[in-house]
Amino acid sequence: MRFGVGLWCLQSTAVSPRHHVEAYRQLRTDARVVEQLGFGDLWLSEHHFFYDGYCPSLLPAAASVLAVTERLRVATGMLLLPLQDPRRVAAAARSLAQRSAGRLDLGVALGYRDVEFDGKGVPRKQRAGRFAAGLDLLEATAGAPLWVGGATPAVIGRAGARGHGVLLSGANPVALVRDLASAHRRGWEQGGRPGGRRPPVAALRNIWVTGDAAERAAVLAWVRASYVVYAGLGWSVPAQGEHAAMDFRRDMDRALDEAVATTIIGPAPQVVDELAALADAGVDHVVCRVLLEGAPQAAVHAVLRRLAEQVIPALATVEAA
Amino acid sequence: MRLGLRLPAGGEPEAARLAEDAGLFGVLVDAAEPGEEVVVAAWVAAVTEQVRVVVRVALGCEHPVTLAEDLAVLDNIAAGRLVVVADTAALDAEAALEDLELLRRCWSARPVRHTGRRWRVPAGIEGHEAPDAVAVTPEPAQVDVPVWLTGAAAPALSAATGLPRLAVAPSESSPDPLVSPALGALAGEVEADRATVRAYAAAGATHLLVSVPAGDVSGHVTAIARHLAGEAAMPDFPRVVTETVPPPWPPAQGSSPAEELPR
């Protein structure tokens, strides 16, 4: 099992205000800590037109991280491809991949906020077509491994068929993760096994290592606050077959409870067991979501150290089922 | 007049650090392809602390809102050191003016609402209830990001906006604007380069970005600092001050009278 860390969103929120210059400086500091602790990758996240300055421009942020690290991979999780000119994205990615000895991972997704499409003048009904055309161009010219973000078996299966990795949402319950991971594997096999080696299934998970009741309560409050931000952005998880929707607009308290319930939190042996269960569900790669709304940088660095010392070594030889 | 370095393609971060160590005011990122400029500039910003990060951006290659977002993020990475050279590229004066005005409007911290020949923001696309303005965030770190103009439509844009043009010859420089930036080329030969620098200074340029011959960037930057920065900084620069060669420290073994120091 491989481990990354996320998601850096570079916000200055009502709850955790800071100057944006400091946000980008902390990103560079965090990146060096993440690299020293031995994590494989760092993931950035994109949105537009939100009051808190949520990062709208991932590749410049990725460049600033690649500039101050030597081994760490930097991934976009996810770059909203229909909102941009893919030729420009490809040129930026190609330059970064070449300058960083191939340490860029290019994750792309559709985007879901109406206001973002309207602000950029992209009709929402064009998003799938623009995404597909953009992906073709990136595949041919970006020079970086491609990942796709999605929540439906169709999208995830298509990514597998093209040999692209996938990143699954942190709010997906394990049963849904299992279905999506198997859709990805089936897609890859039915697509003629492009690349010769199965591309990775990564899962974003809210994870915290602690045996302390007070710390546990604080962390769960931070997780909850993080989903309140996404509720503010208008995000929700659509229903999938037998898996119910997580709808922050219709029933916010219930959706928040469900999202918080996906958190893997406890003493190290418990966290190891729950991550092993994710591997059993078909996950190759976990992106530990420890950047939570309200969590101080010192707490984040402390839990990264616990993960690196007490959890990751126990899972080094575990492989996805 | 102050001197800056046009960074050589491929070796931008290393050259930028040399320029910073040599006290130059800024460095120019001038990438070949649209998209590359903002990531190379972000890389340069992350490995420097003081130099102005000057980046040439072609208008018309992206939605001005997207360019504004990229450049605002870049200004925050650079802690407010960004200077944008807006290249009118393939746009005519009218189109370039619309793109430039929308771009700068996005940095204003006001809600953005724009209707022009090329763009409508928000687009008001049929079928959903979008607000009638968007907040383009984050804001740049600077109160007002400096914009210098280049390209075929630069004179018209400069006249319309009052923004300075980037001169590419002493004859294009003017002593009138408060900031009069220029781009020049050094030959790597002290007498010729002194003449080049003096010509721009005499014409009224305030910030001259220079390219250097390929190879030995370190040597060229050292020569700029020693022989040209002073030439640019004051009239009748006393060249005698460039001739001092400080001894190395710590001194090489046996070359200093260490044993004669008082005990």
Side-chain angles (χ1 to χ4, degrees):
Chain A
M1 208 167 208
R2 292 163 61 188
F3 289 90
V5 188
L7 294 171
W8 274 264
C9 311
L10 290 312
Q11 298 150 286
S12 171
T13 65
V15 173
S16 299
R18 55 183 172 172
H19 197 289
H20 281 108
V21 167
E22 182 58 20
Y24 286 89
R25 190 178 289 135
Q26 285 186 357
L27 167 66
R28 300 195 291 275
T29 307
D30 291 343
R32 286 187 282 248
V33 169
V34 167
E35 176 172 84
Q36 278 165 12
L37 289 171
F39 289 89
D41 33 272
L42 177 154
W43 293 70
L44 299 159
S45 172
E46 169 180 333
H47 272 300
H48 301 266
F49 314 137
F50 207 48
Y51 84 98
D52 63 11
Y54 201 118
C55 186
S57 177
L58 296 189
L59 293 176
S64 76
V65 174
L66 292 166
V68 300
T69 53
E70 289 169 3
R71 304 179 305 280
L72 188 68
R73 301 187 66 80
V74 180
T76 58
M78 294 289 172
L79 184 147
L80 305 178
L81 191 56
L83 298 175
Q84 306 198 39
D85 182 334
R87 291 168 300 181
R88 210 165 153 271
V89 173
R94 197 161 54 240
S95 175
L96 287 182
Q98 188 242 321
R99 289 165 188 271
S100 68
R103 292 189 287 127
L104 178 71
D105 284 298
L106 192 55
V108 292
L110 283 168
Y112 56 87
R113 298 182 70 219
D114 284 350
V115 63
E116 298 183 0
F117 287 90
D118 207 55
K120 304 272 182 153
V122 176
R124 198 182 157 113
K125 61 175 182 286
Q126 287 179 11
R127 70 178 188 150
R130 286 174 66 101
F131 182 77
L135 202 56
D136 286 343
L137 190 126
L138 294 181
E139 205 168 51
T141 64
L146 294 176
W147 300 68
V148 170
T152 65
V155 168
I156 298 297
R158 212 152 40 232
R162 296 182 68 154
H164 301 155
V166 289
L167 177 68
L168 307 178
S169 163
N172 291 154
V174 176
L176 179 55
V177 168
R178 186 183 298 275
D179 287 355
L180 294 173
S182 92
H184 184 255
R185 184 173 304 217
R186 222 169 27 247
W188 180 66
E189 287 165 355
Q190 288 168 1
R193 301 174 184 250
R197 188 170 169 195
R198 186 174 59 78
V201 173
L204 186 64
R205 298 315 278 185
N206 300 300
I207 296 179
W208 207 273
V209 183
T210 182
D212 180 81
E215 183 170 346
R216 177 189 170 90
V219 171
L220 293 177
W222 295 335
V223 173
R224 190 177 186 88
S226 303
Y227 285 99
V228 170
V229 173
Y230 284 99
L233 279 159
W235 180 72
S236 61
V237 180
Q240 304 282 328
E242 72 271 27
H243 305 289
M246 196 180 276
D247 192 330
F248 290 91
R249 276 164 294 192
R250 297 181 75 177
D251 189 348
M252 181 152 128
D253 282 337
R254 188 176 144 203
L256 287 172
D257 287 344
E258 287 167 1
V260 171
T262 64
T263 307
I264 297 174
I265 182 166
Q270 180 192 334
V271 172
V272 169
D273 286 350
E274 292 192 41
L275 289 172
L278 270 182
D280 185 64
V283 172
D284 303 289
H285 193 134
V286 172
V287 179
C288 304
R289 187 166 186 267
V290 296
L291 280 107
L292 300 170
E293 174 74 345
Q297 194 181 27
V300 171
H301 290 187
V303 78
L304 287 173
R305 181 167 295 281
R306 284 178 222 151
L307 281 164
E309 291 175 354
Q310 302 167 28
V311 172
I312 293 173
L315 293 160
T317 60
V318 171
E319 292 196 16
Chain B
M1 186 180 74
R2 302 173 71 185
L3 296 179
L5 182 68
R6 181 184 194 167
L7 299 172
E12 292 93 342
E14 299 75 17
R17 274 194 293 248
L18 291 168
E20 176 156 287
D21 288 347
L24 303 193
F25 89 90
V27 293
L28 172 64
V29 172
D30 196 0
E33 282 187 282
E36 188 180 14
E37 74 290 83
V38 287
V39 296
V40 174
W43 193 302
V44 164
V47 299
T48 55
E49 290 177 4
Q50 290 98 29
V51 281
R52 287 291 182 145
V53 179
V54 187
V55 58
R56 186 179 64 84
V57 178
L59 298 175
C61 67
E62 242 301 4
H63 196 303
V65 171
T66 300
L67 283 183
E69 291 175 325
D70 283 357
L71 293 166
V73 165
L74 181 51
D75 194 42
N76 280 289
I77 292 170
R81 291 180 287 132
L82 179 67
V83 176
V84 172
V85 174
D87 188 339
T88 61
L91 300 183
D92 63 25
E94 187 190 357
L97 184 60
E98 181 179 348
D99 279 37
L100 181 65
E101 288 189 332
L102 177 53
L103 172 74
R104 297 180 77 209
R105 179 82 188 183
C106 291
W107 293 334
S108 69
R110 296 191 183 102
V112 176
R113 204 178 285 117
H114 171 92
T115 303
R117 291 180 63 148
R118 286 168 53 77
W119 310 103
R120 185 169 172 210
V121 181
I125 295 165
E126 210 180 337
H128 55 80
E129 303 159 13
D132 71 346
V134 290
V136 181
T137 66
E139 285 82 31
Q142 296 179 79
V143 171
D144 193 13
V145 177
V147 176
W148 301 343
L149 302 169
T150 192
L157 240 59
S158 180
T161 62
L163 293 170
R165 284 169 63 193
L166 182 69
V168 294
S171 60
E172 290 185 0
S173 289
S174 159
D176 297 330
L178 204 55
V179 176
S180 187
L183 190 61
L186 297 184
E189 198 281 308
V190 172
E191 277 312 316
D193 290 342
R194 279 172 171 156
T196 299
V197 166
R198 277 203 312 271
Y200 278 98
T206 57
H207 295 77
L208 176 63
L209 292 155
V210 294
S211 58
V212 295
D216 191 22
V217 178
S218 174
H220 291 303
V221 169
T222 303
I224 290 170
R226 175 164 292 236
H227 297 293
L228 304 178
E231 207 81 33
M234 70 183 284
D236 302 318
F237 172 61
R239 289 181 188 161
V240 65
V241 302
T242 68
E243 289 162 18
T244 302
V245 181
W249 188 264
Q253 279 298 317
S255 66
S256 73
E259 64 280 10
E260 290 171 21
L261 289 173
R263 286 165 190 274

